[in-house]
Amino acid sequence: MSHENQRLRRLQDLGRIALELQSEAIADEANALAERAAEGRFYVACVGQFKRGKSSLINALVQAEILPTGTVPVTSVVTVLRHGPHVSARLRRAGSDWEEVRIEDLPEFVSEERNPGNSKGVIAVEVYSPAPLLETGLCFVDTPGLGSVFEANSEATRDFVPHVDAALVVFGADPPLSGEEADLVQQIARHVDTFIFVLNKADRVTERECDEAADFARRVLSQRLAQPIDPVYRVSALERTASGKPTRDWVRLEERLRSLALGSRTELVNGAVDRGLRRLGARLRNIIAEEEAALRSPLEETERRIQALHRASDDAALALWQLGPLFDAEMRRLGSTFEERRKAFIAGVLPEAQHTLSTQIRALPGRFGPALRAAAMARAKEVARGHVLPWLRNSEAEAAQEYRRATERFASIVNDLLQRLRSSDAWSQIPLPEEVGDDEALRGKSRFLFESFTHVESPAGFVPMVEWLGDVLLPKGLTLRRIERAASAYLEHMVVANAHRVENSIKQRLQDSRMRLESQIRFALKEVLEAAQRGLETARTIRGRGEDAVRAALARLDGLRQDLNRIA
Ligand SMILES: Nc1nc2c(ncn2[C@@H]2O[C@H](COP(=O)(O)OP(=O)(O)O)[C@@H](O)[C@H]2O)c(=O)[nH]1
Ligand SMILES: [Mg+2]
């Protein structure tokens, strides 16, 4: 029997054991995995910050406008794009079966505007397309935003993580790769070995800026992953769709994806099956252990243990809830620290920057009307960049320090909680995180990277008709003043927007750490309680049938464990 067939057999056996243990959820997972392995499907998750063009890129790769773009996505819904005879879509809501939906109606379910806070309870969306690229077994996973899958707090998204086989990381040139994006890649590397890096929206910058951004990303990423990384593919999803022709690195990107399908498909699928066998096997072992314990020890003891578990669980829920206000206070404190810094920076730098800009605009040689306006706006951007970048770079160390301070306080509260939980008997066997703080992000080890300057859409690109007419028709002195005012406002806008970034990045990162931590604890809790409860119920029934029944049940459980040890 080939290795692949052996794997499939193991999955089927595992599914059978799960059914014998009355765990239909695990059996379903094993079957789904077996089906995927038999069809040779593998999942490439498209990850990156919002608005980097992830959905547009996937659409361009399958040459159809299938996935909604340009909307704020619902952060808890991932969309899988897989091969099918024709374009269609289906979705599943919590507690119900798959239902067909029209492609046009997808935004109703996956965009935050139309489905705020996922009030429609969507847990999975699948879209089918006949695109040749997908015939290879490749499936795309369109994720909503930065780390939404890998740091997700919603169970449905979290459950998806073990299924991901490779990551297509999408970032941009303006701004270039950020510290948060580098963190995300580092985080994903715990689950995934295969990365493809794409710099999208290459059309928005000059070739030189694009190369610089790609080199910079490679440097940062290879440092973070502690290994050399593949080339970065510089593409434009927009160009690909608009022109109908591949431009820049597009052909190479497609080749890479195809070679992934040809060269690594088996390996990726096998890896997914092995991960699944380990993961599901461990869960089944827990169930067996709980059932055995419930059969061996007096029922009252098990009941007491479950009560203690419930108390511990309430305790944990309460403690997590109490973390809320502490956390909010921390956020407020951070907010005011950085607000002061920001105000001081703006007050210090803006008058000087505006003066520099005025001087430069007045010195612009021989330009008039709209050309002058465009040149003035370009200068405003340069002046803002020149003043903001050094400040942003200085902010990196400070941001890291503030973040570390906040997370240390936060971690010490959580560690107290963990210690308290572990000291209660009920929790002694629960796989709680050892101690928070060994987490890269929480330890504050991860760096902030503000090397880039956030570009704010320049009003020079699109000048309202009246303004344009004014620039053309008004006397030169008047035009100059109007243009100076506009350029100065633009400069201020960029300085302020960039100054806000520091504070927002830190807050965002704290929020992520908190959610990750909470979901870890909640997940551990839920699994253990469920297994204990089920063990107790089974034990009750079997004990009612007498000693012999108990002995037979123990022997059966032992047999199942041995079967399990053979396959997973
Ligand atoms: N100029 C340019 N715009 C793009 C490109 N790709 C996507 N966009 C635009 O960027 C916005 C966000 O794209 P979307 O695919 O929704 O980003 P996502 O949030 O990462 O999935 C949309 O308005 C797209 O039209 C590109 O290559 N060039
Ligand atoms: Mg999207």
Side-chain angles (χ1 to χ4, degrees), residues 12-296:
Q12 282 158 356
D13 287 347
L14 188 136
R16 187 181 47 74
I17 297 173
L19 282 183
E20 289 211 29
L21 290 165
Q22 282 159 5
S23 177
E24 275 178 37
I26 296 182
D28 284 349
E29 269 200 58
N31 287 339
L33 196 54
E35 189 185 299
R36 147 181 183 184
E39 291 175 21
R41 261 185 277 139
F42 64 98
Y43 292 86
V44 177
C46 207
V47 296
Q49 238 152 11
F50 293 110
K51 300 244 165 206
R52 288 291 197 255
K54 297 181 293 297
S55 307
S56 308
L57 186 78
I58 299 179
N59 283 341
L61 283 166
V62 300
Q63 293 185 36
E65 292 294 309
I66 295 183
L67 303 173
T69 59
T71 62
V72 178
V74 177
T75 50
S76 52
V77 182
V78 291
T79 304
V80 170
L81 181 63
R82 51 189 281 199
H83 188 258
H86 49 83
V87 172
S88 62
R90 61 177 193 166
L91 63 83
R92 205 161 69 170
R93 300 181 209 231
S96 33
D97 234 335
W98 288 102
E99 52 190 285
E100 294 279 322
V101 284
R102 294 184 317 176
I103 287 284
E104 311 85 86
D105 294 339
L106 274 183
E108 297 293 325
F109 302 98
V110 300
S111 77
E112 191 61 45
E113 303 92 74
R114 315 261 189 95
N115 180 10
N118 195 11
S119 54
K120 295 180 184 165
V122 180
I123 54 171
V125 175
E126 285 195 337
V127 181
Y128 293 83
S129 148
L133 185 60
L134 304 180
E135 263 178 87
T136 59
L138 187 157
C139 305
F140 285 114
V141 185
D142 188 26
T143 69
L146 185 70
S148 37
V149 175
F150 292 90
E151 304 189 329
N153 59 335
S154 92
E155 224 177 296
T157 9
R158 198 196 156 92
D159 284 350
F160 203 85
V161 173
H163 297 286
V164 173
D165 303 302
L168 185 80
V169 183
V170 183
F171 55 92
D174 190 20
L177 190 84
S178 68
E180 294 88 66
E181 287 169 309
D183 282 348
L184 171 67
V185 170
Q186 211 172 350
Q187 174 105 20
I188 297 175
R190 292 189 204 154
H191 307 276
V192 167
D193 296 324
T194 311
F195 281 97
I196 299 174
F197 297 104
V198 172
L199 190 157
N200 188 37
K201 303 201 186 184
D203 59 286
R204 300 226 323 208
V205 293
T206 63
E207 209 158 309
R208 196 172 128 229
E209 284 175 304
C210 186
D211 290 347
E212 275 173 13
D215 286 346
F216 169 69
R218 267 189 93 173
R219 264 201 320 281
V220 172
L221 292 170
S222 57
Q223 189 199 341
R224 286 295 183 93
L225 296 178
Q227 63 184 48
I229 63 158
D230 285 348
V232 170
Y233 298 96
R234 288 154 299 188
V235 300
S236 162
L238 191 75
E239 268 174 12
R240 176 71 188 91
T241 311
S243 71
K245 285 198 248 22
T247 55
R248 303 169 197 267
D249 292 338
W250 192 267
V251 172
R252 275 188 288 274
L253 171 62
E254 279 188 348
E255 272 166 10
R256 174 81 180 91
L257 286 166
R258 238 177 260 118
S259 80
L260 189 67
L262 291 175
S264 317
R265 177 185 191 175
T266 315
E267 199 183 311
L268 291 176
V269 172
N270 287 346
V273 173
D274 291 343
R275 286 197 306 274
L277 283 169
R278 272 198 302 279
R279 183 168 43 90
L280 300 176
R283 284 169 67 183
L284 289 178
R285 274 192 200 92
N286 271 344
I287 294 178
I288 293 176
E290 285 290 348
E291 291 201 0
E292 277 177 348
L295 283 169
R296 287 215 173 95

Side-chain angles (χ1 to χ4, degrees), residues 371-498:
L372 177 65
R373 180 179 285 267
M377 292 302 174
R379 285 294 150 94
K381 186 178 164 191
E382 278 314 306
V383 171
R385 190 194 286 269
H387 280 87
V388 170
L389 265 183
W391 181 79
L392 279 178
R393 286 204 190 105
N394 284 340
S395 302
E396 279 169 20
E398 204 164 334
Q401 203 182 6
E402 280 300 325
Y403 176 71
R404 195 157 43 240
R405 256 187 232 141
T407 49
E408 266 167 18
R409 259 193 294 273
F410 186 51
S412 91
I413 299 167
V414 177
N415 284 333
D416 282 351
L417 162 70
L418 290 179
Q419 203 167 11
R420 209 154 21 113
L421 292 177
R422 258 193 299 271
S423 66
S424 80
D425 265 357
W427 280 83
S428 55
Q429 304 150 20
I430 299 179
L432 283 173
E434 264 309 304
E435 186 168 86
V436 301
D438 60 338
D439 182 313
E440 288 283 323
L442 258 185
R443 220 181 330 160
K445 225 184 147 190
S446 63
R447 283 176 43 216
F448 286 82
L449 279 178
F450 298 119
E451 296 205 18
S452 64
F453 172 82
T454 294
H455 168 66
V456 185
E457 211 54 59
S458 152
F462 175 77
V463 183
M465 199 51 165
V466 249
E467 295 281 332
W468 189 86
L469 276 177
D471 290 350
V472 174
L473 299 176
L474 291 174
K476 174 140 193 258
L478 200 55
T479 315
L480 189 61
R481 273 199 297 285
R482 280 157 36 94
I483 288 177
E484 247 184 73
R485 261 204 307 279
S488 171
Y490 177 47
L491 173 97
E492 180 171 349
H493 184 40
M494 273 190 299
V495 169
V496 172
N498 276 282

